[in-house]
Amino acid sequence: MKNVLFVLTSHEDLGNTGHKTGFWIEEFATPYYLLKDKGVKITIASPKGGQPPIDPKSASSDFETESTKRFASDKETQEILAKTVQLETVNHSDFDAVFYPGGHGPLWDLAEDKNSIALIESFYTSNKPVAAVCHAPAVFKHTKNTDGSSLVNGKKVTGFTNSEEEAVQLTSIVPFLVEDMLQKNGGIYSKGQDWTPYAVEDGQLITGQNPASSELVAELLLQKLS
């Protein structure tokens, strides 16, 4: 049985707007069920441990999918989610891959989290898949190769686009733009049409553009694992 680590944000404040953020349900639920239904064992971690914040918007009927509906009635998974493992206690050697769901939260905590940065670098140098979708490629802001260069330098990547951020009117609220950061770090950034499924694979790195891309990312990760 393959073991995959899911890492979720612990950050809930949407800048200084007074609104809440967190992780986006679709980006967690779709990959979670796709992998779980194939017999993959999943452990969920977050920087603070315990219940990670759910972006309230992602629970609205506007963003409902089969997997979010399944999650809403899945008490077992909700209970597992309420008891996420503290990130600093996690060892990469216990897992075959790591997956980062998005939501705006990771821009504030996971992008800067020393434990997350070290974990990604350990997975990558051990030749294990590292996957991230939507805003979660923010986690590559400070990750490095063994030679000190940015982990995404010269690699094909994608993530939430500047135009998608503009569409949700958060360009001036977020600490940085995912598209800009990936390019600044030397990533070979590409994207599909806004809000359509688009994912990129380069070696052990798998990235997806937006919530609609979460299934694609999970399928690519599953292929890597098998």
Side-chain angles (χ1 to χ4, degrees):
M1 183 186 271
K2 296 292 186 181
N3 288 325
V4 174
L5 177 69
F6 273 46
V7 181
L8 292 170
T9 181
S10 292
H11 185 88
E12 66 174 358
D13 295 314
L14 188 59
N16 52 11
T17 61
H19 296 294
K20 292 299 181 189
T21 186
F23 74 90
W24 197 259
I25 297 172
E26 160 72 12
E27 297 168 29
F28 162 75
T30 295
Y32 181 85
Y33 291 124
L34 191 146
L35 295 170
K36 183 173 180 257
D37 292 348
K38 295 287 185 185
V40 175
K41 183 172 186 259
I42 298 166
T43 299
I44 312 170
S46 64
K48 293 180 181 174
Q51 175 70 54
I54 294 172
D55 188 309
K57 273 193 177 167
S58 72
S60 78
S61 57
D62 293 351
F63 302 108
E64 207 170 59
T65 65
E66 287 309 310
S67 55
T68 65
K69 285 190 268 193
R70 180 173 169 184
F71 173 74
S73 60
D74 182 355
K75 293 287 177 273
E76 184 191 358
T77 297
Q78 289 171 26
E79 282 172 22
I80 293 167
L81 188 69
K83 299 170 187 161
T84 66
V85 178
Q86 212 164 350
L87 196 54
E88 66 182 4
T89 67
V90 171
N91 191 325
H92 80 94
S93 61
D94 296 331
F95 301 95
D96 300 296
V98 63
F99 174 70
Y100 284 80
H104 281 88
L107 294 169
W108 279 274
D109 64 348
L110 291 171
E112 308 293 337
D113 188 283
K114 288 185 176 69
N115 295 309
S116 176
I117 293 163
L119 197 66
I120 291 166
E121 291 171 349
S122 298
F123 270 94
Y124 195 79
T125 54
S126 303
N127 208 32
K128 294 176 182 178
V130 178
V133 67
C134 197
H135 284 90
V139 300
F140 302 122
K141 188 179 179 189
H142 299 299
T143 51
K144 300 275 194 276
N145 290 302
T146 48
D147 65 3
S149 63
S150 171
L151 191 70
V152 298
N153 185 44
K155 299 193 183 75
K156 295 173 192 160
V157 286
T158 191
F160 205 60
T161 68
N162 290 353
S163 50
E164 287 168 329
E165 201 68 82
E166 189 63 44
V168 297
Q169 301 181 322
L170 291 171
T171 302
S172 61
I173 305 300
V174 293
F176 61 93
L177 296 169
V178 174
E179 178 179 336
D180 286 356
M181 178 276 291
L182 291 171
Q183 290 179 324
K184 187 180 164 199
N185 281 358
I188 304 166
Y189 180 89
S190 62
K191 58 190 172 184
Q193 293 290 315
D194 284 1
W195 313 115
T196 60
Y198 185 79
V200 177
E201 180 184 341
D202 192 335
Q204 297 302 327
L205 272 190
I206 304 167
T207 47
Q209 181 178 317
N210 49 32
S213 310
S214 55
E215 186 171 0
L216 267 179
V217 172
E219 284 168 352
L220 290 170
L221 182 56
L222 191 62
Q223 286 169 22
K224 280 257 184 256
L225 290 168
S226 54

